[in-house]
Coordinates of all heavy atoms in Angstrom, one line a residue:
M1 N -37.5 -69.5 -50.3 CA -38.1 -68.3 -49.8 C -37.2 -67.2 -50.2 O -36.0 -67.1 -50.0 CB -38.1 -68.5 -48.3 CG -38.5 -67.2 -47.6 SD -38.8 -67.6 -45.9 CE -37.7 -66.5 -45.1
A2 N -37.8 -66.2 -50.9 CA -37.0 -65.0 -51.3 C -36.9 -64.1 -50.1 O -37.8 -63.9 -49.3 CB -37.8 -64.3 -52.4
F3 N -35.7 -63.5 -50.0 CA -35.4 -62.6 -48.9 C -36.0 -61.2 -49.2 O -35.8 -60.7 -50.3 CB -33.9 -62.5 -48.7 CG -33.5 -61.5 -47.6 CD1 -33.7 -61.8 -46.3 CD2 -33.1 -60.3 -47.9 CE1 -33.3 -61.0 -45.3 CE2 -32.7 -59.4 -46.9 CZ -32.9 -59.7 -45.6
S4 N -36.6 -60.6 -48.3 CA -37.1 -59.2 -48.5 C -37.2 -58.6 -47.1 O -37.2 -59.2 -46.1 CB -38.5 -59.3 -49.1 OG -39.5 -59.8 -48.2
L5 N -37.3 -57.2 -47.2 CA -37.5 -56.5 -45.9 C -38.7 -56.9 -45.2 O -38.8 -56.8 -44.0 CB -37.4 -55.0 -46.2 CG -36.0 -54.5 -46.6 CD1 -36.1 -53.0 -46.9 CD2 -35.0 -54.8 -45.6
S6 N -39.8 -57.2 -45.9 CA -41.0 -57.6 -45.2 C -40.8 -58.8 -44.4 O -41.5 -59.0 -43.4 CB -42.2 -57.8 -46.2 OG -41.9 -58.8 -47.1
T7 N -39.9 -59.7 -44.8 CA -39.6 -60.9 -44.0 C -39.1 -60.5 -42.6 O -39.4 -61.1 -41.6 CB -38.5 -61.8 -44.7 OG1 -39.0 -62.1 -46.0 CG2 -38.2 -63.0 -43.9
L8 N -38.3 -59.4 -42.6 CA -37.7 -59.0 -41.3 C -38.6 -58.1 -40.5 O -38.3 -57.9 -39.3 CB -36.4 -58.2 -41.6 CG -35.3 -59.1 -42.2 CD1 -34.1 -58.2 -42.5 CD2 -34.9 -60.2 -41.2
K9 N -39.7 -57.6 -41.0 CA -40.6 -56.7 -40.3 C -41.1 -57.4 -39.0 O -41.3 -56.7 -38.0 CB -41.7 -56.2 -41.1 CG -41.4 -55.1 -42.1 CD -42.6 -54.7 -42.8 CE -42.2 -53.6 -43.8 NZ -43.3 -53.1 -44.6
H10 N -41.3 -58.7 -39.1 CA -41.8 -59.4 -37.9 C -40.7 -59.7 -36.9 O -41.0 -60.1 -35.8 CB -42.5 -60.7 -38.4 CG -43.5 -60.5 -39.4 ND1 -44.7 -59.9 -39.1 CD2 -43.6 -60.7 -40.7 CE1 -45.5 -59.8 -40.1 NE2 -44.8 -60.3 -41.2
V11 N -39.5 -59.5 -37.3 CA -38.3 -59.8 -36.4 C -37.8 -58.6 -35.7 O -37.4 -58.7 -34.5 CB -37.2 -60.5 -37.3 CG1 -36.0 -60.8 -36.5 CG2 -37.7 -61.7 -38.0
I12 N -37.7 -57.5 -36.4 CA -37.0 -56.4 -35.8 C -37.9 -55.4 -35.2 O -39.1 -55.3 -35.5 CB -36.1 -55.6 -36.9 CG1 -37.0 -55.1 -38.0 CG2 -35.0 -56.5 -37.4 CD1 -36.2 -54.3 -39.0
Q13 N -37.4 -54.6 -34.3 CA -38.1 -53.5 -33.6 C -38.1 -52.3 -34.4 O -37.2 -52.0 -35.2 CB -37.5 -53.3 -32.2 CG -37.4 -54.5 -31.3 CD -38.7 -55.0 -30.9 OE1 -39.6 -54.3 -30.6 NE2 -38.9 -56.3 -31.0
P14 N -39.1 -51.4 -34.3 CA -39.1 -50.1 -35.0 C -37.9 -49.3 -34.6 O -37.4 -49.4 -33.4 CB -40.4 -49.5 -34.6 CG -41.1 -50.4 -33.7 CD -40.3 -51.6 -33.4
Q15 N -37.4 -48.5 -35.5 CA -36.4 -47.5 -35.2 C -35.0 -48.2 -34.9 O -34.3 -47.8 -34.0 CB -36.7 -46.6 -34.1 CG -38.0 -45.8 -34.3 CD -37.8 -44.9 -35.5 OE1 -36.8 -44.2 -35.7 NE2 -38.8 -44.8 -36.4
V16 N -34.8 -49.3 -35.5 CA -33.5 -50.1 -35.3 C -32.8 -50.1 -36.6 O -33.4 -50.4 -37.6 CB -33.8 -51.5 -34.7 CG1 -32.5 -52.3 -34.7 CG2 -34.4 -51.4 -33.3
G17 N -31.5 -49.9 -36.6 CA -30.7 -50.0 -37.8 C -29.9 -51.2 -37.8 O -29.3 -51.6 -36.7
I18 N -29.8 -51.9 -38.9 CA -29.1 -53.2 -39.0 C -28.1 -53.1 -40.2 O -28.6 -52.8 -41.3 CB -30.0 -54.4 -39.2 CG1 -31.0 -54.5 -38.0 CG2 -29.1 -55.7 -39.3 CD1 -32.0 -55.6 -38.3
E19 N -26.9 -53.3 -39.9 CA -25.9 -53.5 -41.0 C -25.5 -54.9 -41.1 O -24.8 -55.4 -40.2 CB -24.7 -52.6 -40.8 CG -23.7 -52.8 -41.9 CD -22.4 -52.0 -41.6 OE1 -22.3 -51.3 -40.6 OE2 -21.4 -52.3 -42.3
L20 N -26.0 -55.7 -42.0 CA -25.7 -57.1 -42.1 C -24.6 -57.2 -43.1 O -24.8 -57.3 -44.3 CB -27.0 -57.9 -42.6 CG -26.9 -59.4 -42.5 CD1 -26.8 -59.8 -41.0 CD2 -28.2 -59.9 -43.1
G21 N -23.3 -57.2 -42.6 CA -22.2 -57.2 -43.5 C -21.6 -58.6 -43.7 O -22.0 -59.6 -43.1
T22 N -20.7 -58.7 -44.6 CA -20.0 -60.0 -45.0 C -19.3 -60.5 -43.7 O -19.4 -61.7 -43.5 CB -19.0 -59.8 -46.1 OG1 -19.7 -59.3 -47.2 CG2 -18.3 -61.0 -46.5
Q23 N -18.6 -59.7 -43.0 CA -17.8 -60.2 -41.8 C -18.6 -59.9 -40.5 O -18.6 -60.7 -39.7 CB -16.5 -59.5 -41.8 CG -15.6 -59.9 -42.9 CD -15.2 -61.3 -42.9 OE1 -14.9 -61.9 -41.9 NE2 -15.2 -61.9 -44.1
M24 N -19.1 -58.7 -40.4 CA -19.7 -58.3 -39.1 C -21.1 -57.7 -39.3 O -21.4 -57.2 -40.3 CB -18.8 -57.2 -38.5 CG -17.4 -57.5 -38.2 SD -17.2 -58.9 -37.1 CE -17.7 -58.1 -35.5
T25 N -21.9 -57.9 -38.2 CA -23.2 -57.3 -38.2 C -23.2 -56.3 -37.1 O -22.7 -56.5 -36.0 CB -24.3 -58.4 -37.9 OG1 -24.3 -59.2 -39.1 CG2 -25.7 -57.8 -37.7
R26 N -23.8 -55.1 -37.4 CA -24.0 -54.1 -36.3 C -25.4 -53.7 -36.2 O -26.1 -53.6 -37.2 CB -23.2 -52.9 -36.7 CG -21.7 -53.1 -36.7 CD -20.9 -51.9 -37.2 NE -19.5 -52.3 -37.3 CZ -18.9 -52.9 -38.3 NH1 -19.7 -53.3 -39.3 NH2 -17.6 -53.2 -38.3
V27 N -25.9 -53.5 -35.0 CA -27.3 -53.1 -34.7 C -27.2 -51.8 -33.9 O -26.4 -51.7 -32.9 CB -28.0 -54.2 -33.8 CG1 -29.4 -53.7 -33.5 CG2 -28.1 -55.5 -34.6
S28 N -27.9 -50.8 -34.4 CA -27.9 -49.5 -33.7 C -29.3 -49.1 -33.4 O -30.3 -49.5 -34.0 CB -27.2 -48.5 -34.5 OG -27.9 -48.3 -35.7
V29 N -29.4 -48.3 -32.3 CA -30.7 -47.8 -31.8 C -30.5 -46.3 -31.6 O -29.5 -45.8 -31.0 CB -31.0 -48.5 -30.4 CG1 -32.3 -47.9 -29.8 CG2 -31.1 -50.0 -30.6
P30 N -31.5 -45.5 -32.1 CA -31.4 -44.1 -31.9 C -31.3 -43.7 -30.4 O -31.9 -44.3 -29.5 CB -32.8 -43.6 -32.4 CG -33.2 -44.6 -33.4 CD -32.7 -45.9 -32.8
G31 N -30.4 -42.8 -30.2 CA -30.1 -42.3 -28.8 C -29.1 -43.2 -28.0 O -28.6 -42.8 -27.0
K32 N -28.8 -44.4 -28.5 CA -27.9 -45.3 -27.9 C -26.7 -45.6 -28.7 O -25.7 -46.1 -28.3 CB -28.6 -46.6 -27.4 CG -29.7 -46.4 -26.4 CD -30.3 -47.7 -26.0 CE -31.3 -47.5 -24.9 NZ -31.9 -48.7 -24.5
G33 N -26.8 -45.5 -30.0 CA -25.8 -45.8 -30.9 C -25.7 -47.3 -31.2 O -26.7 -48.0 -31.1
V34 N -24.5 -47.8 -31.5 CA -24.3 -49.2 -31.8 C -24.5 -50.0 -30.5 O -23.7 -49.8 -29.5 CB -23.0 -49.5 -32.5 CG1 -22.7 -51.0 -32.7 CG2 -22.9 -48.7 -33.8
V35 N -25.4 -50.9 -30.5 CA -25.6 -51.7 -29.3 C -25.2 -53.2 -29.4 O -25.1 -53.9 -28.5 CB -27.1 -51.7 -28.9 CG1 -27.5 -50.3 -28.5 CG2 -28.0 -52.3 -30.0
L36 N -24.8 -53.6 -30.7 CA -24.3 -54.9 -30.9 C -23.4 -54.9 -32.1 O -23.8 -54.4 -33.2 CB -25.5 -55.9 -31.2 CG -25.1 -57.3 -31.6 CD1 -24.5 -58.0 -30.4 CD2 -26.3 -58.1 -32.0
T37 N -22.3 -55.5 -32.0 CA -21.3 -55.8 -33.1 C -20.9 -57.2 -32.9 O -20.3 -57.6 -31.9 CB -20.1 -54.8 -33.0 OG1 -20.6 -53.5 -33.1 CG2 -19.2 -55.1 -34.2
T38 N -21.2 -58.0 -33.9 CA -20.8 -59.4 -33.8 C -20.6 -60.0 -35.2 O -21.0 -59.4 -36.2 CB -21.9 -60.3 -33.1 OG1 -21.4 -61.6 -32.9 CG2 -23.2 -60.3 -33.9
A39 N -19.9 -61.1 -35.3 CA -19.6 -61.8 -36.6 C -20.9 -62.3 -37.2 O -21.8 -62.7 -36.5 CB -18.7 -62.9 -36.4
T40 N -21.0 -62.2 -38.5 CA -22.2 -62.7 -39.3 C -22.0 -64.1 -39.6 O -21.5 -64.5 -40.6 CB -22.4 -61.8 -40.6 OG1 -22.4 -60.5 -40.3 CG2 -23.7 -62.2 -41.3
A41 N -22.3 -65.0 -38.6 CA -22.0 -66.4 -38.7 C -22.9 -67.2 -37.8 O -23.4 -66.7 -36.8 CB -20.5 -66.7 -38.4
I42 N -23.2 -68.5 -38.3 CA -24.1 -69.4 -37.5 C -23.4 -70.8 -37.6 O -23.0 -71.2 -38.7 CB -25.5 -69.4 -38.1 CG1 -26.2 -68.1 -37.9 CG2 -26.3 -70.6 -37.6 CD1 -27.6 -68.1 -38.5
V43 N -23.5 -71.5 -36.5 CA -23.1 -72.9 -36.5 C -24.4 -73.7 -36.2 O -25.1 -73.5 -35.2 CB -22.0 -73.3 -35.5 CG1 -21.8 -74.8 -35.5 CG2 -20.7 -72.6 -35.9
A44 N -24.8 -74.6 -37.1 CA -26.0 -75.4 -36.9 C -25.6 -76.9 -36.9 O -24.7 -77.4 -37.5 CB -26.9 -75.2 -38.1
H45 N -26.4 -77.6 -36.1 CA -26.3 -79.1 -36.0 C -27.2 -79.6 -37.1 O -28.5 -79.5 -37.0 CB -26.8 -79.5 -34.6 CG -26.5 -81.0 -34.3 ND1 -27.2 -82.0 -34.9 CD2 -25.6 -81.5 -33.5 CE1 -26.7 -83.1 -34.4 NE2 -25.7 -82.9 -33.6
E46 N -26.7 -80.3 -38.0 CA -27.4 -80.7 -39.2 C -28.4 -81.8 -38.9 O -29.4 -81.9 -39.6 CB -26.5 -81.1 -40.3 CG -25.7 -80.0 -40.9 CD -26.6 -78.9 -41.4 OE1 -27.4 -79.1 -42.4 OE2 -26.6 -77.7 -40.9
V47 N -28.1 -82.7 -38.0 CA -29.0 -83.8 -37.7 C -30.2 -83.3 -36.9 O -31.4 -83.6 -37.2 CB -28.3 -84.9 -36.9 CG1 -29.3 -86.0 -36.5 CG2 -27.2 -85.5 -37.8
E48 N -30.0 -82.5 -35.9 CA -31.0 -82.0 -35.0 C -31.7 -80.8 -35.6 O -32.7 -80.3 -35.0 CB -30.5 -81.7 -33.6 CG -30.0 -82.9 -32.9 CD -29.4 -82.6 -31.5 OE1 -29.6 -81.5 -31.0 OE2 -28.8 -83.5 -31.0
K49 N -31.2 -80.2 -36.7 CA -31.7 -79.0 -37.3 C -31.9 -77.9 -36.4 O -32.9 -77.2 -36.4 CB -33.1 -79.4 -38.0 CG -33.1 -80.5 -38.9 CD -32.3 -80.1 -40.2 CE -32.3 -81.3 -41.2 NZ -31.3 -81.2 -42.2
K50 N -30.8 -77.6 -35.5 CA -30.9 -76.5 -34.6 C -29.6 -75.7 -34.8 O -28.5 -76.2 -35.0 CB -30.9 -77.0 -33.2 CG -31.8 -78.1 -32.8 CD -31.4 -78.7 -31.5 CE -31.8 -77.9 -30.3 NZ -31.9 -78.7 -29.1
V51 N -29.7 -74.4 -34.5 CA -28.6 -73.5 -34.5 C -28.0 -73.6 -33.1 O -28.7 -73.5 -32.1 CB -28.9 -72.1 -34.8 CG1 -27.7 -71.2 -34.7 CG2 -29.5 -72.0 -36.2
V52 N -26.7 -73.9 -33.0 CA -26.0 -74.1 -31.7 C -25.1 -72.9 -31.3 O -24.9 -72.7 -30.1 CB -25.3 -75.4 -31.6 CG1 -26.2 -76.6 -31.7 CG2 -24.2 -75.5 -32.7
L53 N -24.7 -72.1 -32.3 CA -23.8 -71.0 -32.0 C -24.1 -69.8 -33.0 O -24.5 -70.1 -34.1 CB -22.3 -71.3 -32.1 CG -21.7 -72.3 -31.2 CD1 -20.3 -72.7 -31.6 CD2 -21.7 -71.7 -29.8
Y54 N -24.0 -68.6 -32.5 CA -24.2 -67.4 -33.3 C -23.1 -66.5 -33.2 O -22.4 -66.5 -32.2 CB -25.5 -66.7 -32.8 CG -26.8 -67.4 -33.0 CD1 -27.3 -68.2 -32.0 CD2 -27.6 -67.2 -34.1 CE1 -28.5 -68.9 -32.2 CE2 -28.8 -67.8 -34.3 CZ -29.2 -68.7 -33.3 OH -30.5 -69.3 -33.4
G55 N -22.9 -65.6 -34.2 CA -22.0 -64.5 -34.1 C -20.5 -64.9 -33.9 O -20.0 -65.8 -34.5
D56 N -19.9 -64.1 -32.9 CA -18.5 -64.3 -32.6 C -18.2 -65.8 -32.2 O -17.1 -66.3 -32.6 CB -18.0 -63.4 -31.6 CG -18.0 -61.9 -32.0 OD1 -18.0 -61.7 -33.2 OD2 -18.1 -61.0 -31.1
D57 N -19.1 -66.4 -31.4 CA -18.9 -67.8 -31.0 C -18.8 -68.7 -32.2 O -18.0 -69.6 -32.2 CB -19.9 -68.2 -30.0 CG -19.9 -67.5 -28.7 OD1 -18.8 -67.0 -28.3 OD2 -20.9 -67.3 -28.0
A58 N -19.7 -68.5 -33.1 CA -19.8 -69.3 -34.3 C -18.5 -69.1 -35.2 O -17.9 -70.1 -35.7 CB -21.0 -69.0 -35.2
R59 N -18.1 -67.8 -35.4 CA -16.9 -67.5 -36.2 C -15.7 -68.2 -35.6 O -14.8 -68.6 -36.4 CB -16.8 -66.0 -36.3 CG -15.5 -65.6 -37.1 CD -15.6 -65.8 -38.5 NE -16.6 -64.9 -39.1 CZ -16.8 -64.7 -40.3 NH1 -16.0 -65.3 -41.2 NH2 -17.8 -63.9 -40.8
E60 N -15.6 -68.3 -34.3 CA -14.4 -68.9 -33.7 C -14.3 -70.4 -34.0 O -13.2 -70.9 -33.9 CB -14.5 -68.7 -32.1 CG -14.2 -67.3 -31.7 CD -14.3 -67.2 -30.2 OE1 -14.3 -68.2 -29.4 OE2 -14.4 -66.0 -29.7
M61 N -15.3 -71.0 -34.5 CA -15.3 -72.4 -34.8 C -14.8 -72.7 -36.2 O -14.7 -73.8 -36.6 CB -16.7 -73.0 -34.6 CG -17.2 -72.9 -33.2 SD -16.1 -73.7 -32.0 CE -16.4 -75.4 -32.5
L62 N -14.5 -71.6 -37.0 CA -14.1 -71.8 -38.3 C -12.8 -72.6 -38.4 O -11.8 -72.4 -37.7 CB -13.7 -70.4 -38.9 CG -13.3 -70.4 -40.4 CD1 -14.4 -70.8 -41.3 CD2 -12.9 -68.9 -40.8
G63 N -12.9 -73.7 -39.1 CA -11.8 -74.7 -39.2 C -11.7 -75.7 -38.1 O -10.8 -76.5 -38.1
K64 N -12.6 -75.6 -37.1 CA -12.6 -76.5 -35.9 C -13.8 -77.4 -35.8 O -13.8 -78.2 -34.9 CB -12.5 -75.6 -34.7 CG -11.3 -74.7 -34.6 CD -11.4 -73.9 -33.3 CE -10.3 -72.8 -33.3 NZ -10.4 -71.9 -32.2
I65 N -14.7 -77.3 -36.7 CA -15.9 -78.1 -36.5 C -15.9 -79.4 -37.4 O -15.3 -79.4 -38.4 CB -17.2 -77.3 -36.7 CG1 -17.2 -76.7 -38.1 CG2 -17.4 -76.2 -35.7 CD1 -18.5 -75.9 -38.5
A66 N -16.7 -80.3 -37.0 CA -16.8 -81.6 -37.8 C -18.3 -82.0 -37.9 O -19.1 -81.4 -37.1 CB -16.0 -82.7 -37.1
V67 N -18.6 -82.9 -38.7 CA -19.9 -83.4 -38.9 C -20.4 -83.9 -37.6 O -19.7 -84.5 -36.8 CB -19.9 -84.5 -40.0 CG1 -21.3 -85.2 -40.1 CG2 -19.4 -84.0 -41.3
P68 N -21.6 -83.6 -37.2 CA -22.8 -83.0 -37.9 C -22.9 -81.5 -37.8 O -23.9 -81.0 -38.2 CB -24.0 -83.7 -37.3 CG -23.6 -83.8 -35.8 CD -22.1 -84.1 -35.9
L69 N -21.9 -80.8 -37.3 CA -22.0 -79.3 -37.3 C -21.6 -78.7 -38.6 O -20.7 -79.2 -39.3 CB -21.1 -78.8 -36.1 CG -21.5 -79.3 -34.7 CD1 -20.5 -78.7 -33.7 CD2 -22.9 -78.9 -34.4
Q70 N -22.2 -77.6 -38.9 CA -21.9 -76.9 -40.1 C -21.8 -75.4 -39.9 O -22.7 -74.8 -39.2 CB -22.9 -77.2 -41.2 CG -22.8 -76.4 -42.5 CD -21.6 -76.9 -43.3 OE1 -21.3 -78.1 -43.3 NE2 -20.8 -75.9 -43.9
L71 N -20.8 -74.7 -40.3 CA -20.7 -73.2 -40.2 C -21.3 -72.6 -41.4 O -21.1 -73.0 -42.6 CB -19.2 -72.8 -40.1 CG -18.9 -71.3 -40.2 CD1 -19.4 -70.7 -38.9 CD2 -17.5 -71.0 -40.4
Y72 N -22.2 -71.6 -41.2 CA -22.8 -70.9 -42.3 C -22.5 -69.4 -42.2 O -22.5 -68.8 -41.1 CB -24.4 -71.0 -42.2 CG -24.9 -72.4 -42.5 CD1 -25.1 -73.3 -41.4 CD2 -25.1 -72.8 -43.8 CE1 -25.6 -74.5 -41.7 CE2 -25.6 -74.1 -44.0 CZ -25.8 -74.9 -43.0 OH -26.2 -76.2 -43.2
L73 N -22.1 -68.8 -43.3 CA -21.9 -67.4 -43.5 C -22.9 -66.9 -44.5 O -22.7 -67.0 -45.7 CB -20.4 -67.2 -44.0 CG -19.3 -67.8 -43.2 CD1 -18.0 -67.7 -43.9 CD2 -19.3 -67.2 -41.8
P74 N -24.0 -66.3 -44.0 CA -25.1 -66.0 -44.9 C -24.9 -64.8 -45.8 O -25.6 -64.6 -46.8 CB -26.2 -65.7 -43.9 CG -25.6 -65.4 -42.6 CD -24.3 -66.1 -42.6
V75 N -23.8 -64.1 -45.6 CA -23.5 -63.0 -46.5 C -22.1 -63.2 -47.0 O -21.1 -63.4 -46.3 CB -23.5 -61.6 -45.8 CG1 -23.2 -60.5 -46.7 CG2 -24.9 -61.4 -45.1
R76 N -21.9 -63.1 -48.4 CA -20.6 -63.3 -49.0 C -20.4 -62.2 -50.0 O -21.3 -61.9 -50.8 CB -20.4 -64.6 -49.7 CG -20.3 -65.7 -48.7 CD -19.8 -67.0 -49.3 NE -20.3 -68.1 -48.4 CZ -21.2 -69.0 -48.8 NH1 -21.7 -69.1 -50.0 NH2 -21.5 -70.0 -47.9
D77 N -19.2 -61.5 -50.0 CA -18.9 -60.4 -50.9 C -20.0 -59.4 -50.9 O -20.3 -58.9 -52.0 CB -18.6 -61.0 -52.3 CG -17.5 -61.9 -52.3 OD1 -16.5 -61.7 -51.6 OD2 -17.5 -62.9 -53.1
G78 N -20.6 -59.1 -49.8 CA -21.6 -58.1 -49.7 C -23.0 -58.5 -50.2 O -23.9 -57.7 -50.2
Q79 N -23.1 -59.8 -50.6 CA -24.4 -60.3 -51.1 C -25.0 -61.3 -50.2 O -24.3 -62.2 -49.7 CB -24.2 -60.9 -52.5 CG -23.6 -60.0 -53.6 CD -24.6 -59.0 -54.0 OE1 -25.8 -59.2 -54.2 NE2 -24.2 -57.7 -54.0
L80 N -26.3 -61.2 -50.0 CA -27.0 -62.2 -49.2 C -27.1 -63.5 -50.0 O -27.6 -63.5 -51.1 CB -28.4 -61.7 -48.8 CG -29.2 -62.6 -47.9 CD1 -28.5 -62.6 -46.5 CD2 -30.6 -62.1 -47.8
V81 N -26.5 -64.6 -49.4 CA -26.5 -65.9 -50.2 C -27.3 -67.0 -49.5 O -27.5 -68.0 -50.1 CB -25.0 -66.4 -50.4 CG1 -24.3 -65.4 -51.3 CG2 -24.3 -66.6 -49.1
D82 N -27.7 -66.7 -48.2 CA -28.5 -67.7 -47.5 C -29.5 -67.0 -46.7 O -29.3 -66.7 -45.5 CB -27.6 -68.5 -46.6 CG -28.2 -69.7 -46.0 OD1 -29.5 -69.7 -45.9 OD2 -27.5 -70.7 -45.6
D83 N -30.7 -66.7 -47.3 CA -31.7 -65.9 -46.6 C -32.3 -66.6 -45.4 O -32.6 -65.9 -44.4 CB -32.8 -65.5 -47.6 CG -33.5 -66.7 -48.3 OD1 -32.8 -67.6 -48.6 OD2 -34.7 -66.6 -48.5
H84 N -32.4 -67.9 -45.4 CA -32.9 -68.6 -44.3 C -32.0 -68.4 -43.0 O -32.5 -68.1 -41.9 CB -33.1 -70.1 -44.6 CG -33.5 -71.0 -43.4 ND1 -34.8 -70.9 -42.9 CD2 -32.8 -71.9 -42.7 CE1 -34.8 -71.7 -41.9 NE2 -33.7 -72.3 -41.7
R85 N -30.7 -68.6 -43.2 CA -29.8 -68.5 -42.1 C -29.7 -67.0 -41.7 O -29.5 -66.7 -40.5 CB -28.4 -69.0 -42.5 CG -28.4 -70.4 -42.9 CD -28.7 -71.3 -41.7 NE -28.7 -72.7 -42.1 CZ -29.1 -73.7 -41.4 NH1 -29.5 -73.5 -40.2 NH2 -29.1 -74.9 -41.9
A86 N -29.8 -66.1 -42.6 CA -29.8 -64.6 -42.3 C -30.9 -64.3 -41.4 O -30.7 -63.5 -40.4 CB -29.8 -63.8 -43.6
V87 N -32.1 -64.8 -41.7 CA -33.3 -64.5 -40.9 C -33.1 -65.1 -39.5 O -33.4 -64.5 -38.4 CB -34.6 -65.0 -41.5 CG1 -35.7 -64.9 -40.6 CG2 -34.9 -64.1 -42.8
Q88 N -32.6 -66.3 -39.4 CA -32.3 -66.9 -38.1 C -31.3 -66.1 -37.3 O -31.5 -65.9 -36.1 CB -31.7 -68.3 -38.3 CG -32.7 -69.4 -38.7 CD -32.0 -70.7 -38.8 OE1 -30.9 -70.9 -39.5 NE2 -32.5 -71.7 -38.2
F89 N -30.3 -65.6 -38.0 CA -29.3 -64.8 -37.3 C -29.9 -63.5 -36.8 O -29.6 -63.1 -35.6 CB -28.1 -64.5 -38.3 CG -27.1 -63.7 -37.7 CD1 -26.1 -64.2 -36.9 CD2 -27.0 -62.3 -38.0 CE1 -25.1 -63.4 -36.3 CE2 -26.0 -61.5 -37.5 CZ -25.0 -62.1 -36.6
V90 N -30.6 -62.8 -37.6 CA -31.3 -61.5 -37.2 C -32.2 -61.7 -36.0 O -32.2 -61.0 -35.1 CB -31.9 -60.8 -38.4 CG1 -32.7 -59.6 -37.9 CG2 -30.9 -60.4 -39.4
R91 N -33.0 -62.8 -36.1 CA -33.9 -63.1 -35.0 C -33.1 -63.3 -33.7 O -33.5 -62.8 -32.6 CB -34.7 -64.4 -35.3 CG -35.8 -64.2 -36.2 CD -36.7 -65.4 -36.2 NE -37.8 -65.1 -37.1 CZ -38.3 -65.9 -38.0 NH1 -37.8 -67.1 -38.2 NH2 -39.3 -65.5 -38.7
H92 N -32.0 -64.0 -33.8 CA -31.2 -64.2 -32.6 C -30.7 -62.8 -32.0 O -30.6 -62.6 -30.8 CB -30.0 -65.1 -32.9 CG -29.1 -65.2 -31.7 ND1 -29.4 -66.0 -30.6 CD2 -27.9 -64.7 -31.5 CE1 -28.4 -65.9 -29.7 NE2 -27.4 -65.1 -30.3
C93 N -30.3 -61.9 -32.9 CA -29.8 -60.6 -32.5 C -30.8 -59.8 -31.6 O -30.4 -59.0 -30.8 CB -29.4 -59.8 -33.7 SG -27.9 -60.4 -34.5
F94 N -32.1 -60.1 -31.8 CA -33.1 -59.4 -31.1 C -33.8 -60.2 -29.9 O -34.8 -59.8 -29.4 CB -34.2 -58.9 -32.1 CG -33.6 -57.8 -32.9 CD1 -33.1 -58.1 -34.1 CD2 -33.6 -56.5 -32.5 CE1 -32.6 -57.1 -34.9 CE2 -33.1 -55.5 -33.2 CZ -32.6 -55.8 -34.5
H95 N -33.2 -61.3 -29.6 CA -33.7 -62.1 -28.4 C -32.8 -62.1 -27.3 O -31.7 -61.9 -27.3 CB -34.0 -63.5 -28.9 CG -35.2 -63.6 -29.7 ND1 -35.2 -64.0 -31.0 CD2 -36.5 -63.3 -29.5 CE1 -36.4 -63.9 -31.6 NE2 -37.2 -63.5 -30.6

């Protein structure tokens, strides 16, 4: 699945700014400023095919997880490298 802004249109609210960075993600809302700052990371259970941790909680697991858990960093060096995990992450930011 190719990543595109149209993929995210169904996920995000109008008038919301998202900075999906290599290390951190920031979400801002007009009139409120930055409402969320968290690590751009996901931990998924590979057998059950579920995401179990997002953001800062996921990043804290770096170097501490074992099979069947897997840490995903969907953005590397400023480039989106895992569009599926990026969409999962953005969806979580808005729920």
